Amino acid sequence: MSSSTRQIVFIDGVGGKRYMRGKFVRYFEQRGYSVACFDYRVSTQSFDEIKKNLGEFLSAVGSQGDYHAVGYSFGGVLLRSLHEQLEPHLRPKRVVLLASPLRAMRLARRLRHWKIYQVLTGECGQFAADDGLMSKVPMLDIPCAHVYGTWPWLGAFCFFFGFSLPHDGMVAADEAIPSSQAQATPVPASHAFIPSNVHALRVMEQWFGAVV
């Protein structure tokens, strides 16, 4: 039987903009889903404050019924960091970690001492650069798919690290894949535009509608 869950929560990344996810929202709403988006301001909010707000947001959605979740970029880190703190009945049924780093990012480590990076990304940017902190964020114990980009031309990654390994301009492929056994799908998209990439949208739709 197909999944009957018709709610999706989209948890944005550090630099996410509403126009970047507009196609995502329209795509799933046209297919009968309701989509709720979680935003935050890394320049003025601490990591713990954002995490607390996300927990309240997911609890409110979960109290209305089953839902799926998409953790885009650092949004996936936030989701993983608080998942175990949610009551089991308030947790998402299925998750997509979309271009979401699972370990400290090379790019964040390279930029972490730059003042402009610190201003634009706040505590979350420092978190993404810290091997110790990132390694302590648990993996999810619910059905989870990983979708990552392989179009490297838009983003700072190639400027510092070139094209010696696959990446989406910001997150390297090996930073977004937990293991060779994981449900992981590459798509030809840059980091900023992967939420609106048609290949990524189709993969997510199939994952959320999969047999349970």
Side-chain angles (χ1 to χ4, degrees), residues 12-41:
D12 217 336
V14 165
K17 300 291 187 293
R18 292 186 179 184
Y19 74 86
M20 293 179 179
R21 65 182 188 231
K23 186 173 180 179
F24 174 96
V25 173
R26 292 191 299 273
Y27 183 93
F28 282 101
E29 286 183 345
Q30 289 169 1
R31 285 155 178 79
Y33 289 89
S34 63
V35 181
C37 299
F38 177 77
D39 296 302
Y40 49 99
R41 295 180 179 274

Side-chain angles (χ1 to χ4, degrees), residues 74-89:
F74 197 76
V77 179
L78 290 167
L79 176 60
R80 291 191 295 119
S81 71
L82 67 80
H83 177 76
E84 294 179 350
Q85 300 171 26
L86 293 171
E87 295 292 332
H89 69 285

Side-chain angles (χ1 to χ4, degrees), residues 122-133:
E123 284 189 13
C124 292
Q126 296 302 308
F127 194 104
D130 192 302
D131 287 294
L133 292 175

Side-chain angles (χ1 to χ4, degrees), residues 153-164:
W153 306 102
L154 292 177
F157 193 102
C158 60
F159 180 79
F160 292 104
F161 300 101
F163 302 93
S164 59

Side-chain angles (χ1 to χ4, degrees), residues 131-149:
D131 287 294
L133 292 175
M134 287 290 287
S135 66
K136 293 177 182 177
V137 181
M139 296 301 296
L140 298 173
D141 59 358
I142 58 176
C144 180
H146 303 263
V147 181
Y148 61 97

Side-chain angles (χ1 to χ4, degrees), residues 14-15 41-44 114-123 125:
V14 165
R41 295 180 179 274
V42 293
S43 60
T44 58
W114 290 31
K115 186 63 176 178
I116 186 65
Y117 176 81
Q118 294 172 355
V119 170
L120 292 177
T121 66
E123 284 189 13

Side-chain angles (χ1 to χ4, degrees), residues 185-211:
T185 306
V187 296
S190 63
H191 190 82
F193 297 100
I194 197 169
S196 63
N197 179 270
V198 65
H199 302 285
L201 291 169
R202 289 170 180 166
V203 170
M204 290 186 278
E205 180 185 9
Q206 291 171 2
W207 176 244
F208 292 144
V211 174

